[in-house]
Amino acid sequence: MHAASLPSPVLPTSTEPVYSPGVHRAPTAIVAGAGIAGLCAADALARAGVQVRVFEAAQEAGGRMRTETFGRHVIECGAQFLSTGYTVLPALARQLGLAGGLRAASQVNAVIRQGRPRRVRAQSMLDPLRSGLLGLPAWLRLGLALGREGRALRTLPLNDLGQWARYDEESASEWLDRRGCGEALAYVTEPLLQGFYFLTPETSSAALMLLASGFGARRCSTTSLAGGMQSLPRALARTLHVETGRRVDAIRQQDTGVVVSGAGFEARADYVVCALPAPFARQAWPGADALERRLLATGYSRTINLSLLARPDFRVPRALAGAYGVLVPRAERRHVAALALDAGKHHLGDPASGHGQVIQVMLEDRAAADRLGASDAQIIADVLPEVERHLPGISRQIEDCLVTRWAQAMPTVPVGRAADVQAYRSRPPAPRQRVFLAGDYMNAPFTEAAAATGHWAAEAIMRTLQAAARAGARPA
């Protein structure tokens, strides 16, 4: 079956039960990992009548959706925002009673060129030209290149990388260079890929670049969530059987089920959803087939996030007033890929609360890789002079700083990854398959796409159970 004919990533609507109460016992499943992918898989399975246990190595659920209290602020140390182009996570917020906390963020962002912020909005095709980010010839060439893909940009799903596999034969830089879009590569695509995902256009598939462009083509807006991004996985985890402090080190498939084990524990179930980051999943699941091994070989970019708490009287430059994000192209940076101004995240204009504002500083992949083992003080000393160039006076106005290191920040999306995602999702489960993969490396590198993989894994298990029920079989 071609992937385009597959259902969207929501639960199957069939009313056929996956088991018959009073005749067979309820099927069981273990989910390894309580990030958003694992939690979405567990929630979908539990709602279908499967008995689910979730094992998480950390002390709370959320993975890279990490929210902290910082002074009088609630800040994001990992995933930063949602989008109106998302479907799975907004539905989850409604399910958990959190939808009232969705807030529109400022849609104004800036990209640095020749040392100056150029204000742009993703919803405006004219802003790159009007702001001076692109010259007229470069703007026209980019518009023509993207315009030829207009139907795909407007219609292909934004949370299914596999549906973009037609563009998965060359890198983003090769795709743009063939169309004479070198200037757009330098000042639009490269800062977007590095600032959002800590990836480079030379090593990333054109499929990811065009999927990301789809958010702008549909004029999607950025939103935040009151209580922080981690309020979603925290609330979802409270509805499930989640056991924290339990790292899954090994998954062994047997004819009668699956055995999951770690330090001091062992558990059995009919099925397992392995929703660990790819490096840990690869170690835990040695029974992967060739396609699964390619997916599990996914590398990750790295970043370090500095949350700077500025004094109440600090003001950003006029050119950045009311802006949320600042992207720094590689021609303009040493270490800093992006800044996020939390004042612009929650409302337009600079804060007047008297509590100061938080500025998030995110390092590019290479700079982060060189500093993951450095002290907080050394990282701050290395990075602050560059931040000062964009935010004059900030060095003297910092009240506090929180440093968060991400050795696995975002999964890479090399050429061929979208095709592998499509192949994995479209193939029917093997007759004796009991282990199913989920996680951000199985899709595009953002939270909505990761959540969708949890639903895909749950759907695959439910199809297997329904097929067994029709055949008169039951979990052993």
Side-chain angles (χ1 to χ4, degrees):
M1 178 169 26
H2 191 274
S5 65
L6 289 167
S8 59
V10 297
L11 289 178
T13 56
S14 171
T15 58
E16 181 180 0
V18 295
Y19 75 102
S20 301
V23 178
H24 301 314
R25 66 169 174 82
T28 58
I30 289 172
V31 175
I36 196 63
L39 291 173
C40 283
D43 176 63
L45 290 168
R47 287 173 173 271
V50 178
Q51 293 183 357
V52 184
R53 297 171 72 185
V54 182
F55 295 142
E56 167 57 42
Q59 294 305 310
E60 65 173 339
R64 277 155 286 167
M65 296 175 77
R66 183 184 299 177
T67 301
E68 300 283 353
T69 300
F70 188 49
R72 298 188 182 183
H73 299 267
V74 173
I75 65 167
E76 309 296 359
C77 297
Q80 293 286 320
F81 58 85
L82 301 172
S83 170
T84 57
Y86 293 176
T87 56
V88 175
L89 293 182
L92 182 60
R94 290 191 295 272
Q95 171 188 320
L96 296 169
L98 300 176
L102 290 171
R103 303 169 176 172
S106 169
Q107 303 308 307
V108 177
N109 295 289
V111 182
I112 305 298
R113 181 162 189 176
Q114 296 178 324
R116 290 176 45 208
R118 313 298 175 128
R119 294 167 71 93
V120 293
R121 296 160 296 173
Q123 303 90 339
S124 171
M125 290 294 294
L126 285 173
D127 278 2
L129 178 64
R130 287 189 294 216
S131 67
L133 181 62
L134 295 179
L136 180 59
W139 178 78
L140 289 171
R141 283 193 291 270
L142 178 62
L144 181 61
L146 294 179
R148 287 172 174 164
E149 311 301 334
R151 179 175 174 80
L153 295 177
R154 292 189 300 270
T155 61
L156 290 182
L158 298 175
N159 59 9
D160 187 350
L161 178 67
Q163 299 278 354
W164 299 76
R166 71 183 73 169
Y167 302 107
D168 195 29
E169 297 180 349
E170 59 186 337
S171 70
S173 62
E174 290 168 336
W175 193 94
L176 288 165
D177 282 341
R178 283 201 304 108
R179 291 158 177 81
C181 295
E183 189 175 339
L185 171 63
Y187 289 100
V188 177
T189 301
E190 191 280 332
L192 184 150
L193 289 177
Q194 188 65 239
F196 283 14
Y197 313 122
F198 317 107
L199 302 175
T200 69
E202 292 78 17
T203 58
S204 299
S205 172
L208 173 62
M209 175 193 68
L210 289 164
L211 184 158
S213 299
F215 286 97
R218 299 176 207 193
R219 300 187 176 182
C220 299
S221 300
T222 302
T223 62
S224 64
L225 186 61
M229 292 281 284
Q230 199 176 359
S231 62
L232 268 176
R234 283 171 174 162
L236 187 54
R238 287 194 290 270
T239 71
L240 299 165
H241 184 98
V242 179
E243 301 178 38
T244 57
R246 291 202 163 185
R247 172 177 170 170
V248 172
D249 294 322
I251 299 171
R252 305 191 309 277
Q253 179 168 306
Q254 301 175 340
D255 288 341
T256 57
V258 190
V259 178
V260 168
S261 60
F265 77 95
E266 183 174 280
R268 298 173 183 272
D270 298 317
Y271 299 97
V272 166
V273 175
C274 183
L276 305 171
F280 303 108
R282 183 169 63 247
Q283 294 175 6
W285 173 226
D289 61 25
L291 175 58
E292 290 171 329
R293 287 196 297 272
R294 288 201 302 272
L295 290 162
L296 290 168
T298 301
Y300 280 73
S301 63
R302 297 139 297 191
T303 192
I304 298 175
N305 182 39
L306 284 72
S307 303
L308 307 178
L309 177 59
R311 300 184 193 281
D313 57 349
F314 176 74
R315 295 292 181 268
V316 301
R318 177 181 290 272
L320 294 177
Y324 172 27
V326 182
L327 300 178
V328 187
R330 62 181 154 207
E332 307 274 344
R333 70 172 177 259
R334 288 191 62 201
H335 311 306
V336 176
L339 306 171
L341 310 177
D342 277 15
K345 185 173 186 178
H346 301 302
H347 57 80
L348 297 178
D350 284 336
S353 64
H355 298 158
Q357 65 171 297
V358 175
I359 294 107
Q360 306 276 4
V361 181
M362 286 152 275
L363 302 195
E364 69 167 19
D365 172 66
R366 290 177 301 173
D370 291 341
R371 291 166 177 80
L372 285 172
S375 67
D376 289 2
Q378 185 60 57
I379 294 170
I380 295 167
D382 288 349
V383 172
L384 207 53
E386 185 174 356
V387 179
E388 179 79 18
R389 293 210 308 265
H390 307 301
L391 303 174
I394 187 65
S395 299
R396 301 183 301 276
Q397 296 289 327
I398 296 173
E399 289 189 336
D400 201 358
C401 178
L402 177 65
V403 179
T404 308
R405 297 162 177 79
W406 293 106
Q408 286 97 27
M410 294 286 188
T412 59
V413 186
V415 174
R417 179 55 37 76
D420 281 347
V421 167
Q422 182 188 48
Y424 184 84
R425 192 182 170 211
S426 61
R427 70 180 185 179
R432 291 184 173 274
Q433 184 175 354
R434 293 181 179 273
V435 179
F436 298 83
L437 303 180
D440 53 7
Y441 69 96
M442 299 289 295
N443 205 344
F446 49 86
T447 53
E448 166 77 7
T453 70
H455 282 179
W456 299 349
E459 288 173 356
I461 290 174
M462 290 170 64
R463 288 196 298 270
T464 302
L465 286 166
Q466 289 166 348
R470 286 194 294 269
R474 64 182 180 94

